[in-house]
Amino acid sequence: MEGGASPAEIMSSPTCGRGAHTPNLAANGFMNAPKNSSPCFFFSAGEPSGDLHAAELIVKLREKSPDAKIVGYGGPKMEEVGCELLRDLTQLAIMWFGRAIKNFLTFKKIVDDADAYFASHKIDAVVLVDYPGLNWWIARRAKARGIPVFYFMPPQIWSWATWRIKKMKRFVDYILCCLPFEKRWFESHGCNVEYIGHPFFEEVRNRTLDAEFLDRLREAAPPGVRLLAILPGSRNQEVHHNFDDMLSAAEIVRREYPGTKIVVAAFKDSQKQWIEQRIVARKISLDSISVYVGKTPEIMHAATCCIAVSGSVSLELLASNCPAVIYYRIGRFGHIVQQFFRRCRYITLVNLLAVDREDERRGSTDLSVFYKDYPIPAEPSDADKRRMLFPEFLANRDRSGEVAKTVLSWFRDAAALLKRREKLATLLKYVDKGENTVDHAAEYLLHGVHKSACAIGEYGQNARE
């Protein structure tokens, strides 16, 4: 969940550098620091999306420094592009307190193994990619050994339990952030931060879709036939908690529009099997619902609209200009707790970005994407609901009927759906500047491997003086 817990996130997450915010480093000379011809980077990425983004960064690092050594924790995408993978963390992408506690010994060994590697090898920089629960401890060990720590795509600590930033500032030297409002938030807390833009948009621009698969989808849903996509998430827990409600909503829609084609985007084969078992258990024919693995981009491209979980997938939906209803189910106790810990107005990044754009257009310096007081409302106000580009439901009960009602309103009013796409296109122009974000990050890292956290802070202080 964007703004919610992930892996062992409750155990805290590092996201900031020591000292006050420095001026733009490209302008003040930091980017002119000498390069190490064969630096060694230790990466740590746990989520499937983090694995993908880290792999893109590794490719750029290798292009600029062919002799660079890349080692660490990640997933298959990183390994494919030449990372010496010490452990596949994508198999451990878990959430919430209980699961983190059950896997405590596993996580402890992973951290201890990283520390042992730091002790026995020369590491020029540790590069963390999201996955805050574990990466907090890896950053701590790296800092204890004097290794500079960079956070590429930091966890969204601005969204809940914001007091964690006091600890985080001790363990991360510099943040490479992806969202315009989070740069301002980190700066307001005295962090060293560089806004690079979000790599999702670059990936979508450079992506080649499977034309043959798209043709098959078009045959299944020719003009006049609506294609409703279900995106239940990449983590097993997300899929298990959300899919049944999403399927119920899709079935309600199909009862009113019998010709609707329902397509499910599964992240991996084991999830596809579980999803198909649930469909059969609901006495729904598998012939009436198609489940595909590894075809999420194509499904977004072809869909009339989607029902999706909250997460970074919302940015991909934005880049694909695909209207969506966001659904995320948590327990009743968790729903109460989040009212006291969550700060962001929405659980969906696209909705937060839309509000941030409104603030910028008005010339407001007030970060209205955040609530000012605790506890936050149990439900968004009517005004906040009207500002949602992606209607969202943080549910502690089955709210499939409300999800279906939103989808049906789009099916009944083609003009309203078109207007929604136009608003998404406008927002995309605001957040996607067409810059090479990953190239920017790679260049920064290569120039920054010789700078310790203290040197960065002192340089910024001297520049101001």
Side-chain angles (χ1 to χ4, degrees):
M1 180 174 71
E2 294 161 3
S6 70
E9 188 172 348
I10 302 300
M11 298 163 66
S12 286
S13 55
T15 332
C16 274
R18 183 182 293 124
H21 170 63
T22 62
N24 183 284
L25 298 183
N28 68 25
F30 178 69
M31 296 297 284
N32 295 322
K35 294 183 182 180
N36 183 343
S37 60
S38 55
C40 179
F41 294 95
F42 186 100
F43 272 70
S44 180
E47 302 290 337
S49 60
D51 176 37
L52 175 63
H53 296 312
E56 294 285 344
L57 180 54
I58 290 168
V59 168
K60 292 297 182 181
L61 286 171
R62 282 278 168 76
E63 288 178 359
K64 297 175 181 296
S65 181
D67 295 329
K69 181 178 181 180
I70 314 293
V71 65
Y73 300 142
K77 297 291 185 183
M78 292 169 61
E79 190 169 32
E80 286 174 11
V81 297
C83 177
E84 180 185 332
L85 202 63
L86 304 180
R87 178 98 183 218
D88 184 350
L89 292 187
T90 61
Q91 301 302 314
L92 290 172
I94 62 172
M95 301 167 59
W96 308 113
F97 297 98
R99 298 297 180 94
I101 292 171
K102 288 180 181 178
N103 286 272
F104 174 77
L105 293 178
T106 300
F107 285 124
K108 184 178 185 303
K109 184 177 188 313
I110 291 170
V111 173
D112 289 343
D113 288 347
D115 191 42
Y117 196 91
F118 298 158
S120 58
H121 295 77
K122 182 182 180 300
I123 307 296
D124 290 287
V126 168
V127 182
L128 310 176
V129 187
D130 203 358
Y131 209 59
L134 180 67
N135 280 341
W136 163 266
W137 299 101
I138 290 178
R140 180 189 292 265
R141 299 293 183 89
K143 289 301 295 177
R145 297 192 178 277
I147 303 171
V149 179
F150 296 79
Y151 227 126
F152 174 59
M153 301 187 65
Q156 296 159 7
I157 61 165
W158 40 262
S159 67
W160 71 283
T162 55
W163 61 79
R164 296 173 296 164
I165 199 166
K166 295 178 181 178
K167 296 180 180 178
M168 297 169 191
K169 291 170 68 174
R170 296 162 48 201
F171 298 111
V172 176
D173 300 315
Y174 216 86
I175 307 165
L176 299 174
C177 75
C178 306
L179 305 170
F181 67 81
E182 71 177 352
K183 178 181 189 294
R184 299 197 300 277
W185 188 86
F186 282 126
E187 284 178 341
S188 72
H189 288 80
C191 298
N192 295 312
V193 58
E194 181 85 351
Y195 172 54
I196 62 170
H198 207 294
F200 252 133
F201 304 123
E202 182 181 343
E203 290 164 11
V204 172
R205 286 197 305 271
N206 298 330
R207 177 181 290 157
T208 300
L209 299 177
D210 185 338
E212 182 178 342
F213 181 76
L214 280 173
D215 288 341
R216 288 165 54 193
L217 287 178
R218 293 188 185 104
E219 290 174 5
V225 175
R226 298 167 178 83
L227 193 154
L228 176 58
I230 296 176
L231 280 59
S234 60
R235 303 186 189 108
N236 288 340
Q237 288 168 268
E238 287 178 329
V239 177
H240 295 169
H241 290 167
N242 291 285
F243 177 71
D244 276 347
D245 290 355
M246 292 175 156
L247 180 59
S248 294
E251 284 295 290
I252 293 171
V253 171
R254 189 154 62 178
R255 280 199 290 272
E256 183 162 337
Y257 289 86
T260 300
K261 176 66 177 176
I262 300 174
V263 176
V264 183
F267 176 68
K268 53 189 176 182
D269 289 328
S270 60
Q271 291 174 355
K272 178 178 186 290
Q273 294 171 4
W274 184 89
I275 288 168
E276 289 177 340
Q277 289 171 1
R278 292 303 304 154
I279 293 171
V280 171
R282 296 275 295 270
K283 301 188 182 334
I284 301 171
S285 171
L286 285 175
D287 293 335
S288 66
I289 300 178
S290 300
V291 185
Y292 298 101
V293 176
K295 297 299 181 183
T296 301
E298 288 80 6
I299 290 172
M300 288 181 184
H301 184 79
T304 305
C305 60
C306 292
I307 303 171
V309 295
S310 173
S312 55
V313 69
S314 73
L315 295 178
E316 196 169 1
L317 288 161
L318 171 63
S320 301
N321 196 239
C322 182
V325 181
I326 304 300
Y327 189 84
Y328 207 92
R329 185 162 180 175
I330 59 177
R332 293 182 183 275
F333 177 71
H335 197 273
I336 294 172
V337 169
Q338 62 90 29
Q339 292 180 248
F340 293 88
F341 286 82
R342 199 181 105 212
R343 294 309 308 271
C344 55
R345 195 168 294 275
Y346 302 111
I347 65 170
T348 307
L349 278 175
V350 168
N351 293 333
L352 294 173
L353 289 167
V355 171
D356 187 54
R357 176 176 176 269
E358 289 179 12
D359 287 345
E360 184 177 271
R361 290 176 65 190
R362 293 197 310 267
S364 172
T365 58
D366 184 28
L367 286 168
S368 64
V369 296
F370 302 115
Y371 287 112
K372 299 295 188 293
D373 301 310
Y374 291 112
I376 68 170
E379 284 289 315
S381 67
D382 289 341
D384 283 341
K385 288 179 181 178
R386 286 193 295 270
R387 298 167 84 183
M388 295 177 181
L389 280 186
F390 286 169
E392 64 177 46
F393 298 89
L394 180 60
N396 60 12
R397 64 186 189 281
D398 181 0
R399 299 182 67 177
S400 56
E402 296 169 80
V403 173
K405 182 178 179 181
T406 303
V407 173
L408 286 168
S409 70
W410 291 343
F411 279 15
R412 294 173 188 139
D413 189 346
L417 188 61
L418 178 61
K419 185 67 174 177
R420 185 80 47 167
R421 290 185 184 273
E422 291 172 352
K423 289 182 177 180
L424 291 174
T426 300
L427 180 61
L428 182 62
K429 290 178 182 178
Y430 167 69
V431 295
D432 180 13
K433 303 303 183 182
E435 299 170 353
N436 194 328
T437 58
V438 181
D439 190 86
H440 181 175
E443 188 71 18
Y444 181 86
L445 287 170
L446 287 168
H447 282 285
V449 292
H450 295 295
K451 295 286 184 178
S452 68
C454 290
I456 293 174
E458 291 170 1
Y459 189 93
Q461 182 64 35
N462 290 338
R464 286 189 296 275
E465 294 175 350

